[in-house]
Amino acid sequence: MTTTLTVSDAVRALAPGFTHVAIEAHDLVNGPSTEGTSALLDDAARRLAARLEGRASHEDPHMAAWREVYTAFGAKPSRTRNSAEALAKRALSDSGLPRINVLVDIYNAISVAHLIPVGGEDLDLIQGAMHLVRASGEEDFVTVAGGEATVEHPEAGEVVWCDGSGVTCRRWNWRQGPRTRLTEASTSALFLLESLAPMPVADVENAGAELAELLEKFSPGARITVHAPA
C-alpha cells in the first residue's frame, strides 16, 4: 500500500470493536457532480429510509455505538455527530444530500446507504504515513474559518487521524481538514470505511466492494485495490 495506516493501542483500547477497510485508487477521473452521481445520492437516501424504517438515524445500533465511543473520548455526539450520522440527517431532511464532486458524491452515497462513516483523502497530498491516535492536544489542524486559513488544536485525548504534517480529520471522522480533501483535480485517493461492533465485518467489506465497483464505473481503467479489514 502506498500509504501506511496504523491504529494506536490507545484507540484499540477505547474501541476494541473498531474495524476499517481501506481502498486505494489511482488514475481516477474526478469532476463536478453529474446526473449519475446525483442519482446515486437519491438512491442512497431511499435505501437509508428503508433501513431505518421510521427510526431516527441515531437509534440504529451502529450509530449508537459511535455515539458511545464519541462520549468516551469527551465529545458530545448530539453536537458533533460522526460523519455517517451527519450525512444521514441531511439525507432525510427536505434539503437532501449535498452534491460536491464525483468522487465525494460516490463515497457519500456509500456512507448513507450502509450507514458507515466513509472518508476520502487525496493520496498525493498525504504526507507520509497516516495514524489514528488519541491526540496530545498540541497537533496542528489546518482548517478555514471566515474564509481564512486558521490552525486549531484537538483536545487532549481526542481521537484523530493525522499524517506527518498534522491532523487530517478531527474527532475520528467528524471534520476533515481541507489540506487533503478530494478536489476536482484529484486523480489518486485513499478511501476509509470505518465500523464498530455490533456491525458485522462482512457488512463493511460489502460496502467497500460496492464503493470499488462504483469507482470502476465512473473511472474506467482506474487501478483500485481493496485492502483486507484491519
Side-chain angles (χ1 to χ4, degrees):
M1 188 170 181
T2 303
T3 299
T4 301
L5 300 176
T6 63
V7 178
S8 73
D9 290 342
V11 172
R12 293 290 188 192
L14 180 73
F18 173 63
T19 300
H20 69 273
V21 169
I23 299 175
E24 188 175 356
H26 300 274
D27 301 325
L28 295 166
V29 178
N30 202 8
S33 300
T34 67
E35 290 185 3
T37 61
S38 184
L40 279 180
L41 291 167
D42 288 341
D43 181 62
R46 287 191 290 269
R47 290 168 66 181
L48 173 67
R51 179 192 189 96
L52 292 174
E53 299 180 322
R55 295 173 297 162
S57 56
H58 67 265
E59 294 177 298
D60 178 87
H62 191 214
M63 294 298 93
W66 276 106
R67 283 194 164 213
E68 289 179 9
V69 168
Y70 267 49
T71 300
F73 67 77
K76 295 182 178 179
S78 59
R79 188 171 66 187
T80 55
R81 295 178 175 86
N82 75 78
S83 63
E85 186 182 332
L87 278 175
K89 184 177 176 65
R90 295 191 68 171
L92 298 175
S93 71
D94 292 338
S95 58
L97 289 164
R99 275 59 173 164
I100 308 297
N101 59 52
V102 169
L103 294 179
V104 175
D105 289 354
I106 289 172
Y107 80 71
N108 278 350
I110 293 297
S111 178
V112 169
H114 293 269
L115 211 52
I116 294 174
V118 183
E121 306 280 357
D122 189 318
L123 269 173
D124 295 327
L125 301 178
I126 295 171
Q127 303 300 310
M130 290 192 67
H131 309 281
L132 186 65
V133 300
R134 300 198 69 174
S136 68
E138 298 178 357
E139 298 88 348
D140 289 344
F141 178 69
V142 179
T143 186
V144 176
E148 299 289 335
T150 184
V151 177
E152 297 178 355
H153 302 283
E155 299 170 1
E158 181 181 324
V159 177
V160 297
W161 278 105
C162 57
D163 66 4
S165 291
V167 174
T168 58
C169 196
R170 285 199 59 189
R171 291 177 188 156
W172 209 315
N173 45 43
W174 167 64
R175 188 206 295 175
Q176 183 186 32
R179 175 171 60 85
T180 59
R181 69 186 174 192
L182 294 171
T183 70
E184 292 180 15
S186 300
T187 59
S188 294
L190 174 68
F191 300 94
L192 283 173
L193 298 86
E194 302 180 299
S195 73
L196 296 170
M199 175 169 278
V201 173
D203 287 4
V204 193
E205 292 180 296
N206 291 339
E210 186 178 343
L211 175 53
E213 289 174 3
L214 289 175
L215 293 173
E216 291 172 354
K217 176 182 177 180
F218 284 86
S219 292
R223 294 180 288 121
I224 301 167
T225 303
V226 180
H227 295 274

